[in-house]
Amino acid sequence: MMKKLLTVFVALLAFYLQVFAQQSFKQWAQTPPMGWNSWDCYGSSVTEAEVKANTDYMAANLKKSGWEYIVVDIRWFVENDKAGGYNQTDPRYVMDAYGRYLPATNRFPSAANGVGFKALADYIHSKGLKFGIHIMRGVPKEAVAKKLPIKGTQITADQIYTTEMQCTWLRDNYTIVADKPGAQEYYNSIMELYASWGVDFIKIDDLSRPYHQGEIELIRKAIDKTGRPIVLSTSPGETPVEKADHVSTHANMWRMVDDVWDQWKDVVHLLKVAQGWYPYIKPGTWPDCDMIPLGRISIRGERGGDRQTRLTKDQQYGLMTLFTIFRSPLMFGGDMPSLDPFTLSLLTNKAVLKMHKESTDVKQVFQQDGKVAITSFNPKTGEHYLALFNTINTPGLIEVSVNLPEIGINKKVKITDMWSGKSVGTADKKLTAQVAATSAVLYSLK
């Protein structure tokens, strides 16, 4: 009898330990991650000097406002990539004997002598910040062609791949067949490497359309096995809402849409897609609006030339209002050393960032006829927050109204414009605002 009880106890303990391991990653992102990503301004050709310049700026000017991640985006392992797209004709890959990509030392000199990103990560950590990288899902085609061994096994890369569902827009890797012997071990090996470098954040591309459930599960297990708190971001494009329960138990953040650029139609699309994701805005797991395409972008980017964002100031208020009240992760895409005072003010507004960090119960009130209302609540201060959008690209103001009892307010409240900090009067039972075209207002109600 005692032997049976012991067997049951051991089985239950193993089950609960597994559940705990699967959920503990949520502790690593209790508030939405905030940082900088190199993609919008440097595309696939960012250099170490540019990463360090942005690191220095964040440490000096944004860290005190909660910004902390520095993320090196796509193809850091290609020596001869280009601006305005990808060199897919004759890319020179850098990888080790186990088919794991390494930083190209002509772009990242501190990676010489096999140290990988360790030296750059140490530099970023010395500034009190955290380091992240981007990778594509799958196994490198070159590792498959060369039949490179998977670390710690007798299996080679050509035994774990398929050409099915290969990424359509970048052909560096093949799909990994999740149930093949060696598949888990390959992901274990790359996460082990990244953990040894000191990586704190990893964005993994081409996981969401179609939804690669098997590879996502391999990745989750591999990160957990390292014992290092590495925040996981799945990307892009429109993660299927029917996979919400799965992605929210495997990733800290996931993209809702394809790349967001400096055009108002992308914000309108985000508002529409976001309607399915409000129930999943929770500590540790965050639907992701994508990067913030403000300030100076596309220095060597994928789309268009070197420029200041094409969004008007009204549209920038609209974009930042959506990202912050929705509690999306905030990954700034512009070149930080080039920041102008207006853009810096959007990134450091204390009241808005407090809402982004502390609010709960985010929900859409309505979305119709070009008008959108989103609300949330701060249990620490008793404030209700209300964002009102005019998505219509027709000059002039439109009236947007909300019945206050619909958002849980049954008293007269003072209204504060959160972007300016100015009082704009009071409201009782109903609040009406005049909202400029392609913009938003953001209020604190108390």
Side-chain angles (χ1 to χ4, degrees):
M1 182 67 180
M2 285 297 295
K3 188 175 181 180
K4 288 183 178 179
L5 287 173
L6 182 60
T7 301
V8 170
F9 173 77
V10 170
L12 285 172
L13 180 61
F15 171 77
Y16 285 116
L17 286 173
Q18 182 181 14
V19 171
F20 175 77
Q22 289 174 345
Q23 300 300 316
S24 63
F25 74 91
K26 296 179 182 180
Q27 300 302 314
W28 308 339
Q30 285 290 289
T31 58
M34 298 169 59
W36 173 81
N37 181 294
S38 62
W39 169 251
D40 281 359
C41 45
Y42 297 110
S44 57
S45 62
V46 69
T47 67
E48 182 169 353
E50 290 160 341
V51 173
K52 284 186 172 181
N54 279 273
T55 298
D56 293 345
Y57 185 94
M58 180 180 285
N61 300 282
L62 291 172
K63 183 173 73 169
K64 58 182 177 289
S65 296
W67 299 82
E68 61 177 344
Y69 289 97
I70 296 289
V71 182
V72 176
D73 209 89
I74 200 164
R75 273 191 147 196
W76 37 266
F77 45 80
V78 175
E79 293 180 332
N80 61 336
D81 221 336
K82 62 178 185 177
Y86 306 102
N87 175 10
Q88 300 203 66
T89 304
D90 59 346
R92 295 197 305 270
Y93 300 115
V94 182
M95 67 179 61
D96 69 6
Y98 299 109
R100 302 179 297 182
Y101 289 124
L102 299 174
T105 56
N106 63 326
R107 293 166 52 197
F108 299 94
S110 70
N113 302 314
V115 303
F117 272 132
K118 180 68 166 64
L120 180 57
D122 287 348
Y123 181 84
I124 291 167
H125 292 154
S126 75
K127 301 287 183 174
L129 302 174
K130 296 179 180 179
F131 175 58
I133 59 173
H134 168 290
I135 66 167
M136 299 296 296
R137 67 172 176 87
V139 60
K141 286 170 39 177
E142 187 169 296
V144 169
K146 293 180 177 179
K147 299 184 178 182
L148 296 180
I150 295 169
K151 187 180 179 186
T153 76
Q154 299 299 311
I155 301 167
T156 52
D158 58 300
Q159 296 175 282
I160 66 169
Y161 87 103
T162 177
T163 58
E164 294 179 10
M165 296 187 294
Q166 185 183 11
C167 178
T168 58
W169 48 269
L170 187 60
R171 299 285 179 164
D172 294 337
N173 292 2
Y174 289 128
T175 297
I176 289 177
V177 182
D179 59 358
K180 285 273 191 180
Q184 184 66 66
E185 288 79 4
Y186 181 74
Y187 269 117
N188 289 350
S189 76
I190 63 173
M191 294 305 167
E192 175 188 61
L193 180 65
Y194 303 154
S196 75
W197 290 345
V199 168
D200 306 295
F201 179 104
I202 185 164
K203 171 185 172 183
I204 304 185
D205 218 324
D206 197 48
L207 280 172
S208 301
R209 191 184 60 225
Y211 188 78
H212 293 272
Q213 183 163 322
E215 287 198 69
I216 289 171
E217 291 173 1
L218 296 179
I219 291 162
R220 176 76 270 145
K221 291 175 184 176
I223 293 174
D224 291 342
K225 191 174 188 297
T226 70
R228 184 173 179 82
I230 301 173
V231 168
L232 172 60
S233 167
T234 67
S235 177
E238 297 192 4
T239 302
V241 175
E242 57 267 27
K243 293 296 185 179
D245 289 335
H246 185 267
V247 74
S248 63
T249 54
H250 288 80
N252 296 105
M253 49 191 276
W254 55 90
R255 284 273 291 281
M256 299 187 294
V257 295
D258 285 326
D259 289 1
V260 170
W261 281 99
D262 50 334
Q263 47 192 359
W264 181 250
K265 70 182 183 70
D266 288 357
V267 179
V268 176
H269 182 60
L270 264 174
L271 282 162
K272 291 178 180 178
V273 173
Q275 293 178 96
W277 288 109
Y278 287 92
Y280 300 96
I281 302 171
K282 297 178 182 179
T285 55
W286 309 102
D288 179 13
C289 288
D290 193 24
M291 284 171 281
I292 300 170
L294 303 185
R296 185 186 178 192
I297 60 174
S298 210
I299 295 171
R300 294 191 306 281
E302 181 195 30
R303 300 189 195 179
D306 187 349
R307 63 186 183 274
Q308 290 293 318
T309 185
R310 294 173 295 198
L311 295 171
T312 67
K313 286 188 175 182
D314 280 343
Q315 291 169 347
Q316 292 180 61
Y317 279 123
L319 181 146
M320 288 300 296
T321 294
L322 171 58
F323 278 52
T324 52
I325 196 166
F326 188 77
R327 304 196 74 198
S328 170
L330 302 180
M331 289 289 162
F332 184 65
D335 180 58
M336 289 188 288
S338 306
L339 269 177
D340 59 285
F342 174 72
T343 308
L344 182 60
S345 74
L346 294 177
L347 303 180
T348 56
N349 184 293
K350 290 182 180 180
V352 174
L353 291 179
K354 183 177 178 68
M355 172 192 70
H356 177 253
K357 182 178 181 179
E358 297 180 359
S359 61
T360 61
D361 195 26
V362 185
K363 59 186 179 183
Q364 179 181 281
V365 184
F366 59 76
Q367 183 166 173
Q368 59 188 20
D369 301 326
K371 303 175 183 181
V372 184
I374 302 170
T375 186
S376 63
F377 178 70
N378 189 327
K380 294 183 179 181
T381 64
E383 291 172 275
H384 288 263
Y385 303 114
L386 180 63
L388 304 175
F389 295 82
N390 171 6
T391 67
I392 301 170
N393 195 10
T394 301
L397 303 171
I398 65 169
E399 190 175 273
V400 185
S401 299
V402 171
N403 293 319
L404 295 181
E406 290 184 29
I407 62 174
I409 298 176
N410 295 289
K411 63 177 183 177
K412 187 176 183 179
V413 290
K414 295 179 180 179
I415 309 168
T416 302
D417 183 311
M418 294 181 64
W419 287 113
S420 69
K422 295 179 180 178
S423 173
V424 291
T426 61
D428 187 9
K429 297 183 180 178
K430 187 175 184 178
L431 186 153
T432 299
Q434 301 292 324
V435 186
T438 63
S439 192
V441 294
L442 180 60
Y443 294 144
S444 165
L445 311 177
K446 191 174 181 182

